[in-house]
Amino acid sequence: MAANEEKTDEVSPYILSATLPHGSGAREIAVESNNRLLVAEANTGSVRVWEKNHQGWELKPMSSGKEKLHQGLCMVVSALADAKGYPTNTYFSGGGDKRAVLFQADGKRIAELSGHTNAVHSVSVTHDGNLLTGCWDGIAREWNSEGKCVFKYPPHKNSAVVLGLPSGEVVTAGGEGDVCVYKNRTLVKKQASAHAHVVRKVVKHPLGFATCANDGAVKVWSNQCECLLTFVAYGEDTKFVYGLCPIPQSNEMVTCDDGSTVKVWTPDGKHVQTIMHPAIVRAVQALPNGDFVTAGSDGMARIFTRNPQRAASAQEVENFEQASKSEMQQMDVSGLPTEAELMKPGTKDGQVKIFNVSGKAMVYRWSQADMKWVLVGEAMGRGRGKPKPKKTELDGQFYDHVTKVFITEQQSVMLGWNIDDDPRDVVDHFAALYSLTEDLKYQVYQFVAPKTDPQAIAARKERERSERLARATRHVPSWTKHGFKLFADTSKLAPMRKRLAKSIESDSSFSANAFKVLMANMENVSKYHSSAFSQEEAGLVKKMLVWKGTKLLPVLDAFRILMQHAAAVSALSGDSKVRSIILEKLAEEGASKHQKMFCLRGLSNMVARRPKSDEERKKAGTAPKDVVDFFNAAVKTAAKWLNPTSAEAPVCLSGTVFLSNVVCWMGMHKIRATALAKSVVEVLMPFALNAQSVNQTALYYVIVALAGVTMCDDQAKALVASQGAAAVAAISSSSMTDATKEALSDFKKVLGLA
């Protein structure tokens, strides 16, 4: 079985229970009970029924009707529960033929719902028994027991998914990432851009409902549309979360992505297990007994369990594991970053990176909430990935679809397009090229549009937008380009130990054992991401921080190093006493340049590695008031020593990096803190205006921070803009390095001065 990422308790991992080969790639699964499930086959338009008896799972043919329910794709299937006016054991499917079909397990058709203008890909039932459908035309519809559409919910862009809640609400979500909750067909609340991309699924959850989307995120909501939990399920290379389901009893969640990965999560969003599959996984659903079933492109449904009595044979499990690893190449670890690099923070939440750990290629995911790299599992090299769709060549280009269009009764031309092409752009270009009439243009559009994927179109547009931005700037904004700057040097631990030991030996109130543990922890650099940090160690650090003079310097340097240690920064950064001492030491009159420098470097690392609080985890874009106030106080205290014409070079560099990290933190977490943003500008702008007196490395961080802060706060942007031209002139007259020149170019683009 694929590696578990991290265990939060002693629960057993899920293992394979059964393999159900149904023949063709699947789009969705419906679970009626522990003993019956249905699989919607994407390409055949059919639904396959599986039933479990004393001999195991058996594929049951439909005796009263054909299994093919839809012309084209069968996109969704669901078991109807409590639908008004329909027999028990009725199922609900939707397809690319713009129809929703109600049927029974033996194939008997009960009803059809017609009137959609695009593919039906989401179905549900209201609390009072009406049917709900979500369509690629962006509209969620409500239907009565007579099959009549009685209400259309306000449209979303490109796509709509829908869910009826037992408490009476109806949830809709769409292609723009919005999530809406209605009660009695009246809007209760709308969360605009709740997701950054198309919402794929909305499912019931014990706390209300949950959503997943093409931004890689999973969110849990109350029935009043209040976001209770957000976590990133998949990173920058794999972002589409195709499926999501809560597990009964445990309230854990299971997700599947647009690759071949299924993940299990604790109720609070901690990753506990990864299960690799041999093909793309498009759907995941829970069984009442706590098992779950997956289905995807290889024509197999698979059930996973924690119950050893329901586990598959050892041979079947081994066959599954081998199939999941097949066509993998041995990965060369020689060029990978070493385990020591795990102390450096990632650039964005969900970033995935491979490290050389003890000679093995290990995959880690950056958790912005915990500010640490989280183990995913061992990298197996390049696998088969997604099967490449067959494309047709036309005029030297390859397209998903190519068709003949008669522009007159005698003349025809070929038209090609891809599923992620905007059909309006395709048809507009084609119409202009061949001077089509409006009537023919409309007919072509009606043919092309259903053969495109609104979700793929939205993803492509977002990808192209990001690529344009990436090409436009090289260093700004820092939170997407290079992330935080860490003062990460650990080469002088030996002399540090010697100096600290000397001070501790002269004071009997200090525990020699605690010091020994602390130093061993600090010297084990490669385990900063995973080793523990005890209360005894934390207490020792706090006692040493009150020292003065030269005795204090190695303590402050140790604090700087500990702000890279995941557990240490979690223990110390939230301690109000530690915060107060660091600010006192930074503000101390007569402090040496080294004392100031070490304080600023410790603060820089603290900003970079501080884990999110519960408040930040639950509501994006917020930070506890005490954190914002502390950062504001730290900026104002640092300003005391940060004068571009008189500050010592080490202090100047440490201070500008600290302020740059504060801006990176604001941008990365979308924090709105006007006073803090303006304070940063007030400290840094004099450096830009006196660029000839500033070290070029420090000047680089000044430019990047000033450009970045304009993206964080409008008032800060106005403040920078008011002196932007003067700053550009002053920086241009300095002896710029290549990095400074590039950063200045970004600064001018951001402010519209290029």
Side-chain angles (χ1 to χ4, degrees):
M1 179 64 64
N4 287 3
E5 181 173 304
E6 56 179 322
K7 286 293 189 70
T8 57
D9 52 33
E10 293 302 318
V11 297
S12 302
Y14 278 97
I15 57 175
L16 184 68
S17 173
T19 302
L20 315 180
H22 52 86
S24 182
R27 195 71 176 242
E28 186 54 280
I29 314 163
V31 173
E32 180 191 281
S33 67
N34 291 328
N35 300 316
R36 179 185 282 172
L37 58 88
L38 287 77
V39 179
E41 291 188 343
N43 297 328
T44 67
S46 303
V47 171
R48 309 295 183 191
V49 180
W50 285 91
E51 292 185 356
K52 187 178 182 182
N53 54 39
H54 65 282
Q55 293 181 328
W57 287 93
E58 181 181 0
L59 188 62
K60 302 289 289 187
M62 290 185 175
S63 58
S64 300
K66 293 182 179 179
E67 294 172 331
K68 186 176 180 65
L69 296 169
H70 297 275
Q71 299 300 318
L73 297 177
C74 183
M75 305 194 70
V76 64
V77 64
S78 177
L80 277 184
D82 304 320
K84 185 168 58 181
Y86 294 102
T88 57
N89 300 326
T90 297
Y91 303 90
F92 198 4
S93 70
D97 54 2
K98 308 176 186 177
R99 297 182 307 128
V101 178
L102 284 80
F103 64 99
Q104 293 189 307
D106 63 0
K108 181 181 178 181
R109 273 42 168 189
I110 304 299
E112 287 189 9
L113 306 180
S114 300
H116 307 89
T117 62
N118 211 317
V120 179
H121 69 138
S122 178
V123 295
S124 188
V125 183
T126 66
H127 77 295
D128 55 358
N130 278 353
L131 306 179
L132 295 166
T133 57
C135 183
W136 275 5
D137 61 9
I139 299 174
R141 294 168 171 85
E142 187 172 333
W143 310 75
N144 64 15
S145 59
E146 298 174 354
K148 180 181 178 181
C149 181
V150 294
F151 187 70
K152 293 181 180 180
Y153 290 86
H156 292 272
K157 292 181 181 178
N158 300 322
S159 165
V161 291
V162 65
L163 175 70
L165 295 179
S167 51
E169 293 82 9
V170 170
V171 185
T172 70
E176 73 283 69
D178 292 356
V179 175
C180 303
V181 170
Y182 298 87
K183 183 88 172 199
N184 299 322
R185 301 173 184 166
T186 300
L187 183 67
V188 175
K189 189 170 184 178
K190 176 180 179 178
Q191 290 282 5
S193 300
H195 284 274
H197 292 288
V198 178
V199 179
R200 286 274 186 175
K201 296 285 184 187
V202 53
V203 301
K204 293 177 184 177
H205 187 277
L207 298 178
F209 63 96
T211 55
C212 63
N214 285 2
D215 58 1
V218 172
K219 299 195 175 193
V220 177
W221 309 80
S222 73
N223 62 354
Q224 299 300 303
C225 209
E226 296 293 336
C227 187
L228 307 175
L229 172 69
T230 298
F231 63 89
V232 175
Y234 299 96
E236 59 187 45
D237 295 326
T238 302
K239 286 197 170 182
F240 293 6
V241 188
Y242 276 156
L244 165 69
C245 72
I247 300 293
Q249 289 92 44
S250 72
N251 293 339
E252 292 171 293
M253 287 176 278
V254 183
T255 59
C256 60
D257 70 342
D258 62 342
S260 55
T261 305
V262 171
K263 295 183 179 180
V264 183
W265 307 84
T266 63
D268 60 350
K270 292 291 194 308
H271 182 202
V272 294
Q273 188 178 357
T274 296
I275 304 174
M276 298 302 298
H277 281 58
I280 300 169
V281 183
R282 298 301 298 262
V284 58
Q285 290 289 350
L287 277 67
N289 61 10
D291 295 353
F292 66 86
V293 57
T294 66
S297 62
D298 63 351
M300 300 277 191
R302 294 178 175 88
I303 298 174
F304 295 87
T305 186
R306 281 182 172 144
N307 188 332
Q309 296 180 348
R310 294 197 293 270
S313 68
Q315 185 61 56
E316 189 175 351
V317 171
E318 182 180 354
N319 291 343
F320 168 69
E321 293 177 354
Q322 291 303 316
S324 300
K325 296 178 180 179
S326 66
E327 297 186 20
M328 295 292 183
Q329 303 167 2
Q330 186 63 39
M331 180 169 285
D332 181 10
V333 300
S334 60
L336 297 177
T338 64
E339 192 173 6
E341 296 293 303
L342 285 164
M343 74 172 67
K344 297 180 180 179
T347 57
K348 63 170 68 172
D349 200 21
Q351 178 189 2
V352 176
K353 196 170 181 179
I354 304 175
F355 296 86
N356 179 355
V357 179
S358 302
K360 292 183 178 181
M362 303 302 293
V363 181
Y364 284 80
R365 173 181 54 83
W366 176 251
S367 168
Q368 203 67 54
D370 298 315
M371 292 306 292
K372 69 176 184 178
W373 290 100
V374 179
L375 178 64
V376 175
E378 184 175 356
M380 300 305 299
R382 185 176 300 278
R384 64 183 68 181
K386 299 180 186 178
K388 294 183 179 179
K390 294 180 180 179
K391 295 201 173 194
T392 304
E393 185 176 5
L394 176 64
D395 298 330
Q397 300 291 323
F398 288 88
Y399 298 99
D400 295 322
H401 300 283
V402 172
T403 191
K404 182 185 292 186
V405 179
F406 283 88
I407 59 177
T408 68
E409 289 186 3
Q410 293 79 29
Q411 183 185 5
S412 65
V413 292
M414 303 302 291
L415 170 63
W417 71 96
N418 292 306
I419 61 171
D420 61 355
D421 284 328
D422 188 321
R424 292 164 296 187
D425 294 341
V426 171
V427 176
D428 285 346
H429 175 74
F430 187 71
L433 196 61
Y434 294 102
S435 302
L436 301 189
T437 64
E438 284 300 315
D439 182 58
L440 182 54
K441 178 180 174 181
Y442 176 75
Q443 292 180 45
V444 174
Y445 176 82
Q446 289 295 104
F447 182 80
V448 170
K451 294 177 175 60
T452 59
D453 184 344
Q455 297 171 337
I457 293 168
R460 173 179 169 180
K461 288 184 175 180
E462 176 59 25
R463 184 172 64 251
E464 290 173 346
R465 187 196 68 81
S466 300
E467 289 171 353
R468 287 194 300 271
L469 179 62
R471 288 193 296 269
T473 60
R474 300 187 65 176
H475 302 272
V476 175
S478 59
W479 51 91
T480 64
K481 298 298 183 179
H482 53 71
F484 295 106
K485 160 66 178 175
L486 274 181
F487 290 100
D489 181 23
T490 56
S491 63
K492 298 180 180 178
L493 282 168
M496 177 195 296
R497 170 192 274 271
K498 187 175 180 180
R499 293 181 64 183
L500 290 174
K502 184 177 180 181
S503 299
I504 284 177
E505 288 169 1
S506 62
D507 190 334
S508 59
S509 66
F510 284 90
S511 166
N513 183 63
F515 175 68
K516 181 180 179 181
V517 172
L518 175 66
M519 289 307 306
N521 210 348
M522 292 173 62
E523 289 163 353
N524 193 5
V525 175
S526 66
K527 298 297 183 183
Y528 279 14
H529 66 287
S530 59
S531 57
F533 187 76
S534 66
Q535 292 184 354
E536 192 176 19
E537 291 172 273
L540 176 62
V541 172
K542 285 189 279 188
K543 285 182 66 176
M544 292 192 296
L545 278 172
V546 301
W547 290 349
K548 296 182 180 296
T550 56
K551 283 180 62 176
L552 176 65
L553 297 182
V555 181
L556 292 175
D557 199 23
F559 178 77
R560 185 263 310 171
I561 291 174
L562 287 170
M563 288 301 99
Q564 302 168 75
H565 188 292
V569 73
S570 179
L572 298 174
S573 65
D575 191 307
S576 58
K577 182 178 180 181
V578 172
R579 292 178 182 176
S580 177
I581 293 173
I582 294 298
L583 292 188
E584 288 174 6
K585 298 302 181 182
L586 178 59
E588 193 173 278
E589 293 296 336
S592 68
K593 68 178 181 181
H594 290 99
Q595 182 170 322
K596 303 170 195 172
M597 177 188 75
F598 286 136
C599 285
L600 290 168
R601 291 186 176 187
L603 287 169
S604 295
N605 289 356
M606 179 191 290
V607 173
R609 298 304 305 268
R610 186 191 69 86
K612 281 185 178 181
S613 65
D614 290 340
E615 177 183 341
E616 293 167 279
R617 293 173 190 269
K618 291 177 181 177
K619 190 173 182 181
T622 62
K625 183 177 182 298
D626 68 294
V627 173
V628 176
D629 289 346
F630 170 67
F631 286 168
N632 216 340
V635 171
K636 293 182 181 299
T637 305
K640 178 179 180 180
W641 309 115
L642 295 180
N643 186 308
T645 58
S646 61
E648 301 99 330
V651 177
C652 180
L653 175 59
S654 302
T656 54
V657 169
F658 162 60
L659 295 172
S660 180
N661 276 358
V662 169
V663 173
C664 187
W665 171 76
M666 294 176 64
M668 185 175 288
H669 300 296
K670 299 179 175 60
I671 304 298
R672 296 292 174 260
T674 296
L676 177 58
K678 290 172 68 176
S679 294
V680 170
V681 176
E682 289 165 358
V683 177
L684 290 181
M685 186 55 76
F687 284 84
L689 297 173
N690 294 274
Q692 290 183 326
S693 304
V694 181
N695 171 274
Q696 283 292 305
T697 304
L699 185 59
Y700 168 83
Y701 288 104
V702 168
I703 299 168
V704 169
L706 287 174
V709 78
T710 65
M711 302 178 181
C712 299
D713 184 86
D714 289 341
Q715 292 188 38
K717 181 177 181 179
L719 196 58
V720 173
S722 67
Q723 302 180 78
V728 169
I731 295 168
S732 299
S733 65
S734 68
S735 301
M736 292 190 291
T737 62
D738 289 342
T740 307
K741 290 177 184 177
E742 292 171 0
L744 181 60
S745 175
D746 291 353
F747 180 83
K748 291 191 289 186
K749 289 175 183 175
V750 169
L751 289 180
L753 300 173

